[in-house]
Amino acid sequence: FIVFIILIIVTSFITIALTYFQLAVEDHQWWWRAFFSGGSTGFFIYGYCFYYYYGRSDMGGFMQTAFYFGYMLTVCYGFFFMLGSIGFFSSLVFVKHIYRAIKSD
């Protein structure tokens, strides 16, 4: 459970940092990039599934392969949307906070 909390915190902070760098070069279309940078962990998890299947497991046959990669694709899809949403909403809070501090005359 503690690792899941750390994953959420790290995803949030990394996405905020990447959004800050994007805003610093005056690229103000940060919405989708924040979502994809947060959700990119899902791609890494799916890549690790290939390493685990071919390097560590003793699974074989069509049905085991199809079920393993099908279920892992579903799990990684869920992680992509969950972490992408976390990244987007944390960046949204950050952007609202920094633009609220701007004083316009």
Side-chain angles (χ1 to χ4, degrees), residues 18-93:
L18 292 173
T19 302
Y20 175 75
F21 292 145
Q22 184 176 355
L23 292 174
V25 296
E26 297 181 2
D27 183 6
H28 298 287
Q29 297 179 351
W30 56 269
W31 307 279
W32 284 108
R33 192 167 297 166
F35 184 81
F36 287 126
S37 66
S40 64
T41 306
F43 293 122
F44 174 78
I45 294 171
Y46 197 65
Y48 183 78
C49 292
F50 283 96
Y51 165 74
Y52 181 80
Y53 182 80
Y54 290 113
R56 297 285 185 151
S57 72
D58 292 329
M59 288 186 268
F62 176 74
M63 290 304 289
Q64 282 185 337
T65 304
F67 270 91
Y68 176 75
F69 285 115
Y71 279 120
M72 291 311 297
L73 182 65
T74 305
V75 168
C76 293
Y77 188 68
F79 265 97
F80 177 80
F81 277 107
M82 178 187 65
L83 294 174
S85 298
I86 289 169
F88 172 76
F89 285 118
S90 62
S91 292
L92 180 66
V93 168

